[in-house]
Amino acid sequence: MTIYCQPAGAPGDLIASLGGNVRSVDDLDAAWRVLGEDTSEDLVVVGSVADLAAALRFTARLRLERPAVGVILVRDQVDVALLTDALRAGVREVVTADDPAALVEACERSRSVSGRVRAELRVGEERPEEHHGKVVTVFAAKGGCGKTTLAINLAAALAAGGTHRICLVDLDLSFGDVAISVQVEPVRTISDALPMAGHLDTTGAASLLTPYRPGLDILLAPVTPGDAERIPAALVGELLGLLRTMYDFVVIDTPAQFSEHVLTAMDASDHHVLLTTPDTPALKNLRIALDMLDLLSYSRDIRSVLVNRSDSKVGLSPADVEHVVHSAISAQVPSSRNVPVSINRGTPIVFATPTHPVSQAIIRFARERLLNQPIPTRAKAFARRAEGRR
């Protein structure tokens, strides 16, 4: 049910736009009493007559005491200052009084967020207090290695159809491709966290996420030019600290450079997946990246080197790769035209064809290195035969 806070007969009455199942109250005190009577209420629409300062205090209190309840603010006019104050208080959306269609859409989005928050709260109640999800950063020192594709499919493999709760974070703030690769609409992105910087909570973090598949949500990269430069590395650290308490795994896709944001992700990570392809420029960059990680005193024990398109006929064997980078290879993913086909269709190959050799290589890596689920010897032999048949 929706609570509509607007005195009866006041100008700009939008109750007809909200459809059925709406309870109208005259002021915010009455709205609070209704919320106290029914804990299943999940949306309050504050009409344009309500005092702004009182509405923001109401929202801030509600955010702490009833985080699953969303507040949508209706105003005659909307400007940047109003939006900033509203987001800071926890208002989910602000719409103008002359746009009932936008109000209906905002209500639908808020109910979706409330559903996710309630689910997260239930999981939190069932989850032991010491729950601490793992953060996995996927990095390649050279573009074009298939890093985003690997990060997406690794997150899909870890989700295992909803068995685990996974958050995929697109930390390529300037040129993130996760949204287009899985064909989701970037309604909310990491840049929406800016007004909450320094006081983020799980409700605020949940409002930034885009649900994708059962057990798999995505924190998308900004889409507006210039937003990437506004996001401080401290905000990335704050977000990752929260997300790991909400999910079993947080998988991070990064740009091909050691930016301050990437190093923040590396600091927060339990595992570093370093990707390369079997060509000399990519191997040279990987060698430099490994030396840099050693200089920064990151443990080698949390490091995995993964070779993508490992069966490319380019004159370098796996032994040659290990000799060049001075590091053992943890996993090899074969090349296949089905990978770009899956990207163009917007469906990760792990979801589209889980028995494909590429999918099997990524699933096997996820199980062995991240889930600590050794693959039985017989299954390994079958997987190798499957790779040989492709």
Side-chain angles (χ1 to χ4, degrees):
M1 180 183 289
T2 300
I3 299 173
Y4 181 49
C5 182
Q6 180 90 329
D13 192 345
L14 293 169
I15 192 167
S17 305
L18 296 171
N21 209 18
V22 178
R23 184 165 179 176
S24 179
V25 296
D26 287 341
D27 53 41
L28 293 168
D29 290 338
W32 195 266
R33 286 195 295 275
V34 172
L35 286 169
E37 295 167 359
D38 188 351
T39 57
S40 65
E41 303 281 3
D42 60 7
L43 177 59
V44 178
V45 176
V46 180
S48 58
V49 173
D51 176 71
L52 176 60
L56 297 184
R57 287 195 300 273
F58 171 87
T59 305
R61 180 184 173 190
L62 197 59
R63 183 177 181 182
L64 292 175
E65 299 184 18
R66 298 278 296 276
V69 180
V71 174
I72 294 176
L73 188 61
V74 180
R75 297 285 97 178
D76 293 326
Q77 292 184 331
V78 178
D79 55 32
V80 174
L82 170 61
L83 286 173
T84 301
D85 290 342
L87 286 173
R88 197 166 284 159
V91 172
R92 292 215 176 132
E93 297 201 36
V94 182
V95 299
T96 55
D98 60 353
D99 194 348
L103 175 61
V104 172
E105 292 175 358
C107 290
E108 291 177 355
R109 286 192 290 269
S110 179
R111 290 192 189 95
S112 175
V113 171
S114 292
R116 297 206 304 276
V117 172
R118 286 187 189 280
E120 179 59 36
L121 290 174
R122 284 196 294 272
V123 170
E125 290 171 357
E126 298 168 358
R127 184 181 292 154
E129 289 183 4
E130 63 272 16
H131 175 81
H132 214 56
K134 292 183 179 179
V135 178
V136 180
T137 294
V138 180
F139 179 80
K142 178 179 176 298
C145 290
K147 174 175 45 58
T148 297
T149 301
L150 175 70
I152 293 171
N153 282 283
L154 185 58
L158 288 169
T163 304
H164 302 103
R165 287 181 51 76
I166 311 297
C167 182
L168 173 61
V169 177
D170 191 348
L171 201 56
D172 192 345
L173 300 176
S174 297
F175 302 103
D177 284 334
V178 170
I180 197 169
S181 296
V182 297
Q183 295 183 8
V184 297
E185 185 72 21
V187 176
R188 290 293 185 114
T189 73
I190 192 173
S191 60
D192 291 303
L194 281 168
M196 298 182 275
H199 51 88
L200 260 170
D201 55 20
T202 54
T203 304
S207 70
L208 305 170
L209 302 172
T210 301
Y212 177 53
R213 293 290 183 97
L216 176 52
D217 297 331
I218 305 176
L219 178 57
L220 296 169
V223 293
T224 304
D227 273 0
E229 288 72 25
R230 298 170 55 218
I231 297 173
L235 178 58
V236 174
E238 188 178 5
L239 272 167
L240 295 179
L242 274 172
L243 292 174
R244 75 185 313 159
T245 68
M246 301 164 60
Y247 291 89
D248 297 316
F249 284 92
V250 179
V251 179
I252 307 172
D253 181 28
T254 59
Q257 57 185 353
F258 277 125
S259 66
E260 189 178 1
H261 302 84
V262 171
L263 292 176
T264 298
M266 293 281 192
D267 288 343
S269 293
D270 301 278
H271 204 99
H272 300 155
V273 179
L274 304 168
L275 186 66
T276 187
T277 46
D279 56 86
T280 51
L283 294 174
K284 182 266 292 180
N285 286 10
L286 173 60
R287 172 68 183 275
I288 293 173
L290 290 170
D291 290 345
M292 177 68 74
L293 293 177
D294 286 340
L295 284 173
L296 295 173
S297 301
Y298 288 111
S299 172
R300 295 185 179 186
D301 294 337
I302 63 169
R303 189 181 299 169
S304 292
V305 172
L306 193 150
V307 180
N308 194 22
R309 303 171 203 135
S310 59
D311 56 348
S312 302
K313 307 299 182 186
V314 293
L316 289 176
S317 67
D320 294 330
V321 173
E322 292 182 336
H323 178 73
V324 171
V325 302
H326 294 181
S327 182
I329 296 173
S330 301
Q332 302 178 52
V333 178
S335 59
S336 171
R337 61 181 293 275
N338 291 331
V339 174
V341 169
S342 71
I343 295 170
N344 290 338
R345 290 176 176 171
T347 303
I349 192 168
V350 164
F351 283 142
T353 318
T355 57
H356 191 282
V358 171
S359 304
Q360 286 294 305
I362 296 172
I363 292 170
R364 189 163 56 249
F365 172 76
R367 289 180 177 175
E368 291 185 331
R369 298 291 294 183
L370 302 178
L371 294 171
N372 296 320
Q373 297 175 350
I375 304 296
T377 303
R378 187 175 179 181
K380 287 183 177 179
F382 176 82
R384 283 195 294 271
R385 288 198 299 273
E387 289 179 6
R389 286 199 299 268
R390 64 172 292 281

